[in-house]
Each structure stands twice: as structure tokens, then as C-alpha cells.
Amino acid sequence: MLPLEVAQNPLVPGGFDVVWGIVVVVSALLFVAAFVVLIRKRELFSLTAAILWFFGILVVPVLGPLFLLLFTRGKRADRAE
């Protein structure tokens, strides 16, 4: 009788899966953060710019959200309350 062992893929090391899991989580967090910033600071953008940023975030997975977050960093959207 063969012992029940966890089958591992000999071509892909276990650490590789962990690293890619972290990359996926970080990129998902960047997506969410970028969309929240885009919505909360919508006064900073014209409609055209907001649409371009939206598609930039979708098309360029990591750099799009990073550029948006860096671009809007420190800028305040003045709200009339």
C-alpha cells in the first residue's frame, strides 16, 4: 500500500505559488484602492479623464492603479458642504 502524500508538481516549486498568490492579492488591493480613489476624488477629473483613468486601471493591471494613486496623492478634492 502506498503512503498518502501531498502531490507536488516537480516543475513548480511551492514558494512560487505563494509568491503569485501574494502578487494577485496585492494587485486586487490596488484595483480596489484605485477605484475608491477615482470615485472619492471625482471632482479632480473631467468626465473624459475619469473614463480614461478607469480604462487605464483595467488595461494596465498594476501600473494603472499605481499611477492613479501617485497622481492623486496629496491633491484634495474640495467639497462644498
Side-chain angles (χ1 to χ4, degrees):
M1 197 168 183
L2 296 172
L4 296 175
E5 294 182 14
V6 177
Q8 292 186 3
N9 186 348
L11 300 177
V12 180
F16 191 75
D17 290 335
V18 172
V19 169
W20 276 109
I22 292 171
V23 167
V24 167
V25 169
V26 168
S27 68
L29 290 174
L30 279 173
F31 273 119
V32 171
F35 284 124
V36 167
V37 167
L38 189 62
I39 291 169
R40 292 183 93 191
K41 294 188 177 185
R42 64 183 169 267
E43 291 87 12
L44 291 176
F45 307 106
S46 66
L47 179 63
T48 306
I51 292 171
L52 288 174
W53 275 114
F54 176 79
F55 286 116
I57 291 169
L58 288 177
V59 172
V60 186
V62 175
L63 293 179
L66 278 176
F67 286 149
L68 176 74
L69 294 173
L70 290 174
F71 177 74
T72 59
R73 182 175 181 220
K75 293 185 179 182
R76 298 187 62 166
D78 296 328
R79 293 184 180 197
E81 294 185 39

